[in-house]
Amino acid sequence: MKRYLFAMLFLALWHPLAYGGEVDWAALNPEIANAIYVGSSEKCLECHEEYMNVFKRTAHARASHTMKQNDCESCHGPMSKHLDAPKRRPPLTVSFKKERGLTAVQKNSVCLQCHEKGKVAMWMGSQHERVNVACADCHNIQKGMPRDIIKQTNTDLCIKCHTQYRAVIQKSSHHPLREGKLFCTDCHNPHGTMTEKLVSANSVNEKCYECHAEYRGPFLFEHPVVRENCITCHEPHGSNLTFLLRLKPPHLCQQCHVNVIQGHSAILYDGSDLPGGANFQNSFGGKRTVQKGCPNCHSQIHGSNHPAGAKFQR
Protein backbone atom coordinates (compact mmCIF):
# COMPACT_ATOMS: atom_id res chain seq x y z
CA MET A 1 0.00 0.00 0.00
CA LYS A 2 2.83 2.43 0.84
CA ARG A 3 4.42 1.85 -2.58
CA TYR A 4 1.05 2.45 -4.24
CA LEU A 5 0.55 5.77 -2.43
CA PHE A 6 4.10 6.87 -3.28
CA ALA A 7 3.56 6.05 -6.96
CA MET A 8 0.32 8.05 -7.03
CA LEU A 9 2.01 11.07 -5.42
CA PHE A 10 4.98 10.85 -7.81
CA LEU A 11 2.76 10.76 -10.89
CA ALA A 12 0.63 13.64 -9.66
CA LEU A 13 3.68 15.86 -9.07
CA TRP A 14 5.74 14.96 -12.14
CA HIS A 15 3.05 14.33 -14.73
CA PRO A 16 3.73 16.27 -17.97
CA LEU A 17 0.31 17.92 -17.70
CA ALA A 18 0.57 19.08 -14.09
CA TYR A 19 -2.23 21.33 -12.92
CA GLY A 20 -2.25 25.00 -13.75
CA GLY A 21 -1.53 27.13 -16.79
CA GLU A 22 -3.47 27.89 -19.94
CA VAL A 23 -4.20 25.43 -22.72
CA ASP A 24 -1.86 25.59 -25.67
CA TRP A 25 -4.57 25.85 -28.33
CA ALA A 26 -2.04 25.89 -31.17
CA ALA A 27 -0.79 22.47 -30.02
CA LEU A 28 -4.32 21.10 -30.30
CA ASN A 29 -4.90 22.69 -33.72
CA PRO A 30 -1.88 24.42 -35.34
CA GLU A 31 -4.19 26.21 -37.78
CA ILE A 32 -5.57 28.45 -35.05
CA ALA A 33 -2.18 29.75 -33.93
CA ASN A 34 -2.37 33.49 -33.23
CA ALA A 35 -6.18 33.41 -33.18
CA ILE A 36 -7.79 35.74 -30.64
CA TYR A 37 -10.83 35.47 -28.41
CA VAL A 38 -13.96 37.21 -29.61
CA GLY A 39 -15.50 37.10 -26.13
CA SER A 40 -19.07 36.26 -27.12
CA SER A 41 -21.02 33.20 -28.22
CA GLU A 42 -23.76 35.17 -29.98
CA LYS A 43 -22.19 34.52 -33.37
CA CYS A 44 -22.29 30.78 -32.69
CA LEU A 45 -26.09 30.88 -32.66
CA GLU A 46 -26.19 31.85 -36.33
CA CYS A 47 -24.89 28.46 -37.47
CA HIS A 48 -25.14 26.20 -34.40
CA GLU A 49 -28.57 27.02 -33.02
CA GLU A 50 -29.46 23.36 -32.49
CA TYR A 51 -26.35 22.71 -30.40
CA MET A 52 -26.69 25.94 -28.46
CA ASN A 53 -30.31 25.25 -27.51
CA VAL A 54 -29.21 21.92 -26.00
CA PHE A 55 -26.07 23.32 -24.42
CA LYS A 56 -27.86 26.12 -22.57
CA ARG A 57 -29.63 23.50 -20.40
CA THR A 58 -26.37 21.96 -19.17
CA ALA A 59 -24.35 22.59 -16.02
CA HIS A 60 -21.54 24.05 -18.13
CA ALA A 61 -23.86 26.70 -19.52
CA ARG A 62 -25.10 27.61 -16.04
CA ALA A 63 -21.50 27.99 -14.88
CA SER A 64 -20.36 29.94 -17.94
CA HIS A 65 -19.93 33.13 -15.93
CA THR A 66 -17.08 31.48 -14.01
CA MET A 67 -15.26 30.15 -17.09
CA LYS A 68 -11.97 31.67 -18.16
CA GLN A 69 -13.47 32.77 -21.48
CA ASN A 70 -17.05 32.98 -22.70
CA ASP A 71 -19.04 29.79 -23.26
CA CYS A 72 -17.83 28.11 -26.45
CA GLU A 73 -14.30 29.54 -26.43
CA SER A 74 -13.60 28.01 -23.03
CA CYS A 75 -13.51 24.56 -24.63
CA HIS A 76 -13.06 25.17 -28.36
CA GLY A 77 -10.36 27.82 -28.22
CA PRO A 78 -10.22 31.37 -29.67
CA MET A 79 -12.75 31.75 -32.47
CA SER A 80 -11.50 34.70 -34.54
CA LYS A 81 -10.18 32.58 -37.42
CA HIS A 82 -13.24 30.34 -37.38
CA LEU A 83 -15.55 33.37 -37.70
CA ASP A 84 -13.48 34.69 -40.61
CA ALA A 85 -13.95 31.38 -42.45
CA PRO A 86 -17.09 29.73 -40.97
CA LYS A 87 -17.56 27.32 -43.91
CA ARG A 88 -14.02 25.97 -43.71
CA ARG A 89 -13.84 22.18 -43.31
CA PRO A 90 -12.38 21.07 -41.02
CA PRO A 91 -13.26 24.17 -39.01
CA LEU A 92 -10.58 26.48 -37.67
CA THR A 93 -11.29 25.58 -34.05
CA VAL A 94 -10.63 22.78 -31.57
CA SER A 95 -12.95 19.80 -32.04
CA PHE A 96 -13.21 16.68 -29.91
CA LYS A 97 -14.53 14.44 -32.69
CA LYS A 98 -12.57 11.26 -33.32
CA GLU A 99 -11.67 12.25 -36.86
CA ARG A 100 -9.71 15.23 -35.57
CA GLY A 101 -7.20 12.81 -34.01
CA LEU A 102 -6.66 14.45 -30.61
CA THR A 103 -5.13 12.22 -27.97
CA ALA A 104 -6.78 11.63 -24.61
CA VAL A 105 -4.13 13.79 -22.94
CA GLN A 106 -4.85 16.66 -25.32
CA LYS A 107 -8.62 16.43 -24.83
CA ASN A 108 -8.29 16.22 -21.08
CA SER A 109 -6.04 19.29 -20.93
CA VAL A 110 -9.07 21.38 -21.89
CA CYS A 111 -11.25 19.93 -19.12
CA LEU A 112 -8.50 20.28 -16.52
CA GLN A 113 -8.53 24.04 -16.94
CA CYS A 114 -11.47 24.11 -14.54
CA HIS A 115 -11.89 20.59 -13.18
CA GLU A 116 -8.88 20.22 -10.93
CA LYS A 117 -10.39 19.97 -7.44
CA GLY A 118 -12.82 17.85 -5.48
CA LYS A 119 -13.44 14.39 -6.90
CA VAL A 120 -11.16 15.13 -9.86
CA ALA A 121 -8.18 16.14 -7.74
CA MET A 122 -6.48 12.72 -8.10
CA TRP A 123 -6.98 12.35 -11.84
CA MET A 124 -3.27 12.75 -12.65
CA GLY A 125 -1.70 9.32 -12.36
CA SER A 126 -5.01 7.53 -11.76
CA GLN A 127 -5.77 4.16 -13.33
CA HIS A 128 -8.07 5.60 -15.98
CA GLU A 129 -5.68 8.41 -16.85
CA ARG A 130 -2.78 5.98 -17.27
CA VAL A 131 -4.72 3.92 -19.84
CA ASN A 132 -5.59 7.02 -21.87
CA VAL A 133 -9.25 7.40 -20.98
CA ALA A 134 -10.53 10.79 -22.13
CA CYS A 135 -13.16 12.77 -20.24
CA ALA A 136 -15.26 12.76 -23.41
CA ASP A 137 -15.27 8.93 -23.40
CA CYS A 138 -17.62 8.99 -20.41
CA HIS A 139 -19.09 12.51 -20.41
CA ASN A 140 -21.09 14.30 -23.09
CA ILE A 141 -21.19 17.96 -22.09
CA GLN A 142 -23.66 18.83 -24.85
CA LYS A 143 -26.40 16.62 -23.41
CA GLY A 144 -28.88 18.58 -21.35
CA MET A 145 -29.72 15.71 -19.04
CA PRO A 146 -30.31 16.13 -15.30
CA ARG A 147 -27.60 14.80 -13.02
CA ASP A 148 -29.79 11.99 -11.66
CA ILE A 149 -30.47 10.61 -15.18
CA ILE A 150 -26.74 10.56 -15.91
CA LYS A 151 -26.16 8.69 -12.65
CA GLN A 152 -28.71 6.00 -13.53
CA THR A 153 -26.70 5.07 -16.59
CA ASN A 154 -23.21 5.00 -15.09
CA THR A 155 -23.32 1.27 -14.26
CA ASP A 156 -24.03 0.46 -17.91
CA LEU A 157 -21.27 2.87 -18.88
CA CYS A 158 -18.72 1.18 -16.62
CA ILE A 159 -19.41 -2.37 -17.79
CA LYS A 160 -18.78 -1.38 -21.39
CA CYS A 161 -15.10 -1.60 -20.47
CA HIS A 162 -15.24 -3.68 -17.28
CA THR A 163 -17.07 -6.52 -19.00
CA GLN A 164 -16.06 -9.08 -16.36
CA TYR A 165 -18.70 -7.59 -14.05
CA ARG A 166 -21.57 -7.71 -16.53
CA ALA A 167 -22.48 -11.26 -15.48
CA VAL A 168 -21.30 -10.94 -11.86
CA ILE A 169 -23.90 -8.32 -10.94
CA GLN A 170 -26.61 -10.69 -12.22
CA LYS A 171 -25.81 -13.32 -9.59
CA SER A 172 -28.40 -14.17 -6.95
CA SER A 173 -26.62 -12.42 -4.09
CA HIS A 174 -25.69 -8.93 -5.20
CA HIS A 175 -25.73 -5.26 -4.32
CA PRO A 176 -28.76 -3.54 -5.92
CA LEU A 177 -26.86 -2.36 -9.00
CA ARG A 178 -29.16 -3.91 -11.55
CA GLU A 179 -32.19 -2.53 -9.70
CA GLY A 180 -30.79 0.99 -9.99
CA LYS A 181 -30.63 1.56 -6.21
CA LEU A 182 -26.82 1.54 -6.11
CA PHE A 183 -24.26 2.62 -8.68
CA CYS A 184 -20.60 1.97 -9.39
CA THR A 185 -19.76 5.54 -8.38
CA ASP A 186 -21.27 4.99 -4.93
CA CYS A 187 -18.22 2.87 -4.08
CA HIS A 188 -15.65 3.95 -6.67
CA ASN A 189 -14.36 7.35 -7.78
CA PRO A 190 -13.47 6.87 -11.47
CA HIS A 191 -11.43 10.09 -11.45
CA GLY A 192 -8.82 8.71 -9.06
CA THR A 193 -8.22 8.02 -5.37
CA MET A 194 -5.34 7.34 -3.00
CA THR A 195 -6.69 3.84 -2.43
CA GLU A 196 -6.53 0.78 -4.65
CA LYS A 197 -9.35 -0.13 -7.05
CA LEU A 198 -10.51 3.52 -6.99
CA VAL A 199 -12.44 2.93 -3.76
CA SER A 200 -13.81 6.29 -2.64
CA ALA A 201 -12.87 5.89 1.04
CA ASN A 202 -9.72 5.47 3.09
CA SER A 203 -10.08 1.69 2.90
CA VAL A 204 -12.45 -1.01 1.70
CA ASN A 205 -13.81 -1.45 5.21
CA GLU A 206 -14.52 2.26 5.62
CA LYS A 207 -16.55 2.16 2.42
CA CYS A 208 -18.51 -0.90 3.59
CA TYR A 209 -19.22 0.72 6.95
CA GLU A 210 -21.00 3.61 5.25
CA CYS A 211 -23.96 1.25 4.76
CA HIS A 212 -23.14 -1.63 7.11
CA ALA A 213 -22.45 0.43 10.22
CA GLU A 214 -23.47 -2.39 12.55
CA TYR A 215 -20.20 -4.15 11.75
CA ARG A 216 -17.94 -1.16 12.40
CA GLY A 217 -17.30 -1.90 16.05
CA PRO A 218 -15.21 -1.54 18.11
CA PHE A 219 -16.08 -4.91 19.60
CA LEU A 220 -14.91 -6.42 22.85
CA PHE A 221 -13.94 -9.51 20.87
CA GLU A 222 -12.89 -8.76 17.30
CA HIS A 223 -12.41 -11.16 14.43
CA PRO A 224 -9.01 -10.07 13.03
CA VAL A 225 -9.77 -10.93 9.41
CA VAL A 226 -12.96 -8.87 9.57
CA ARG A 227 -11.08 -5.81 10.81
CA GLU A 228 -8.45 -6.27 8.12
CA ASN A 229 -10.57 -6.45 4.96
CA CYS A 230 -14.21 -7.30 4.29
CA ILE A 231 -13.46 -8.74 0.86
CA THR A 232 -11.39 -11.54 2.39
CA CYS A 233 -14.72 -13.30 2.90
CA HIS A 234 -17.13 -11.34 0.68
CA GLU A 235 -17.29 -10.74 -3.07
CA PRO A 236 -18.73 -7.21 -3.29
CA HIS A 237 -19.78 -7.38 -6.95
CA GLY A 238 -21.90 -10.50 -6.69
CA SER A 239 -21.99 -14.13 -5.63
CA ASN A 240 -24.26 -17.15 -5.94
CA LEU A 241 -23.80 -17.75 -2.21
CA THR A 242 -25.73 -15.95 0.50
CA PHE A 243 -24.35 -12.71 1.93
CA LEU A 244 -21.97 -12.27 -1.03
CA LEU A 245 -19.65 -14.94 0.36
CA ARG A 246 -16.66 -16.04 -1.71
CA LEU A 247 -16.94 -19.69 -0.58
CA LYS A 248 -19.58 -21.63 1.31
CA PRO A 249 -18.87 -22.34 4.99
CA PRO A 250 -17.19 -24.34 6.36
CA HIS A 251 -14.77 -24.24 3.41
CA LEU A 252 -14.49 -20.46 3.69
CA CYS A 253 -13.66 -20.65 7.39
CA GLN A 254 -11.17 -23.50 6.94
CA GLN A 255 -9.07 -21.39 4.62
CA CYS A 256 -7.68 -19.90 7.84
CA HIS A 257 -8.82 -22.24 10.61
CA VAL A 258 -6.92 -25.41 9.71
CA ASN A 259 -5.39 -26.10 13.11
CA VAL A 260 -6.85 -28.59 15.58
CA ILE A 261 -9.12 -26.83 18.07
CA GLN A 262 -10.69 -28.48 21.12
CA GLY A 263 -13.75 -30.37 19.97
CA HIS A 264 -13.04 -29.68 16.30
CA SER A 265 -11.28 -31.70 13.65
CA ALA A 266 -8.56 -30.35 11.38
CA ILE A 267 -9.89 -32.52 8.55
CA LEU A 268 -11.52 -30.55 5.76
CA TYR A 269 -15.27 -30.92 6.10
CA ASP A 270 -16.52 -32.25 2.77
CA GLY A 271 -20.17 -32.98 3.48
CA SER A 272 -19.73 -36.76 3.57
CA ASP A 273 -21.53 -36.88 6.94
CA LEU A 274 -24.60 -34.88 5.97
CA PRO A 275 -28.05 -35.98 7.30
CA GLY A 276 -28.90 -39.46 6.17
CA GLY A 277 -25.37 -40.75 6.48
CA ALA A 278 -24.53 -43.54 8.90
CA ASN A 279 -22.05 -41.43 10.85
CA PHE A 280 -24.05 -38.20 11.04
CA GLN A 281 -25.27 -38.49 14.64
CA ASN A 282 -21.77 -39.16 15.96
CA SER A 283 -19.90 -36.81 13.67
CA PHE A 284 -18.84 -33.21 14.21
CA GLY A 285 -18.24 -32.88 10.48
CA GLY A 286 -21.82 -33.46 9.39
CA LYS A 287 -23.25 -31.07 11.92
CA ARG A 288 -20.90 -28.33 10.78
CA THR A 289 -21.59 -28.60 7.08
CA VAL A 290 -25.37 -28.55 7.19
CA GLN A 291 -27.12 -25.24 6.47
CA LYS A 292 -24.83 -22.30 7.33
CA GLY A 293 -21.91 -24.40 8.51
CA CYS A 294 -19.71 -22.76 11.14
CA PRO A 295 -22.10 -19.79 11.71
CA ASN A 296 -24.66 -22.30 13.03
CA CYS A 297 -22.76 -21.91 16.32
CA HIS A 298 -20.49 -18.91 15.71
CA SER A 299 -23.30 -16.55 14.77
CA GLN A 300 -21.53 -13.30 15.74
CA ILE A 301 -18.69 -13.87 13.30
CA HIS A 302 -18.05 -10.15 12.73
CA GLY A 303 -17.38 -9.54 16.43
CA SER A 304 -19.02 -9.71 19.83
CA ASN A 305 -19.51 -7.41 22.81
CA HIS A 306 -20.81 -10.19 25.06
CA PRO A 307 -18.55 -11.06 28.03
CA ALA A 308 -18.73 -14.70 26.95
CA GLY A 309 -18.32 -13.94 23.27
CA ALA A 310 -14.68 -14.90 22.81
CA LYS A 311 -15.70 -17.64 20.38
CA PHE A 312 -18.17 -15.33 18.58
CA GLN A 313 -21.10 -17.45 19.77
CA ARG A 314 -22.93 -14.58 21.49
Side-chain angles (χ1 to χ4, degrees):
M1 176 60 75
K2 290 183 178 179
R3 286 183 293 179
Y4 176 81
L5 295 178
F6 177 79
M8 290 289 293
L9 180 61
F10 178 84
L11 287 169
L13 293 175
W14 294 97
H15 193 281
L17 270 181
Y19 296 131
E22 297 289 336
V23 175
D24 184 358
W25 298 110
L28 303 184
N29 186 352
E31 294 184 305
I32 65 172
N34 303 319
I36 61 175
Y37 294 102
V38 298
S40 174
S41 61
E42 294 300 322
K43 293 290 292 184
C44 302
L45 278 168
E46 296 179 7
C47 299
H48 305 287
E49 183 177 1
E50 180 181 354
Y51 287 104
M52 295 296 289
N53 287 337
V54 174
F55 175 76
K56 68 182 181 182
R57 298 195 296 270
T58 66
H60 281 108
R62 293 192 295 272
S64 61
H65 63 281
T66 65
M67 293 182 178
K68 297 181 178 180
Q69 300 301 327
N70 190 295
D71 292 350
C72 306
E73 290 182 302
S74 297
C75 298
H76 295 286
M79 294 286 189
S80 61
K81 290 190 174 182
H82 177 58
L83 294 179
D84 290 339
K87 302 297 183 180
R88 167 74 182 275
R89 290 293 180 270
L92 293 172
T93 184
V94 172
S95 173
F96 295 90
K97 294 180 178 179
K98 291 183 179 180
E99 56 266 24
R100 297 306 295 273
L102 293 182
T103 66
V105 173
Q106 289 175 319
K107 294 177 182 179
N108 292 347
S109 67
V110 176
C111 303
L112 292 173
Q113 292 180 101
C114 302
H115 300 283
E116 57 180 11
K117 298 179 181 179
K119 292 184 178 181
V120 195
M122 297 303 300
W123 174 255
M124 295 300 185
S126 67
Q127 289 95 319
H128 284 128
E129 193 270 345
R130 294 201 304 271
V131 296
N132 295 318
V133 174
C135 303
D137 292 338
C138 300
H139 300 278
N140 189 338
I141 65 170
Q142 291 182 335
K143 294 293 184 182
M145 297 194 302
R147 184 182 300 273
D148 58 339
I149 295 179
I150 296 174
K151 189 174 183 181
Q152 287 177 14
T153 63
N154 81 37
T155 300
D156 292 331
L157 179 64
C158 295
I159 62 177
K160 286 182 179 179
C161 294
H162 301 281
T163 55
Q164 68 272 32
Y165 298 116
R166 185 184 298 274
V168 173
I169 64 175
Q170 300 296 326
K171 291 185 176 181
S172 56
S173 181
H174 61 278
H175 282 111
L177 285 165
R178 68 188 195 214
E179 291 84 0
K181 296 180 180 179
L182 193 71
F183 309 96
C184 299
T185 52
D186 288 325
C187 297
H188 302 278
N189 180 359
H191 300 102
T193 67
M194 291 294 287
T195 53
E196 296 183 72
K197 305 299 183 181
L198 296 175
V199 173
S200 54
N202 292 329
S203 66
V204 171
N205 281 25
E206 287 298 319
K207 174 53 64 176
C208 298
Y209 295 152
E210 290 179 10
C211 297
H212 305 284
E214 67 273 22
Y215 302 124
R216 181 188 295 274
F219 295 109
L220 180 62
F221 299 101
E222 293 186 331
H223 196 173
V225 69
V226 173
R227 299 296 296 168
E228 180 181 348
N229 200 327
C230 299
I231 63 175
T232 302
C233 298
H234 299 280
E235 171 50 64
H237 295 102
S239 169
N240 283 328
L241 301 172
T242 57
F243 307 117
L244 294 169
L245 293 178
R246 290 185 175 274
L247 287 173
K248 185 177 180 179
H251 307 300
L252 176 66
C253 304
Q254 287 193 299
Q255 287 188 314
C256 297
H257 300 285
V258 294
N259 57 315
V260 178
I261 305 174
Q262 183 178 4
H264 292 69
S265 171
I267 299 173
L268 180 66
Y269 300 140
D270 58 4
S272 58
D273 293 328
L274 285 174
N279 299 322
F280 175 70
Q281 296 297 328
N282 299 317
S283 169
F284 285 114
K287 296 176 182 178
R288 289 172 186 142
T289 53
V290 71
Q291 296 183 359
K292 293 183 179 180
C294 302
N296 286 331
C297 297
H298 305 282
S299 57
Q300 304 303 311
I301 203 67
H302 292 94
S304 174
N305 282 321
H306 194 281
K311 297 180 180 179
F312 308 115
Q313 293 175 314
R314 301 183 181 185

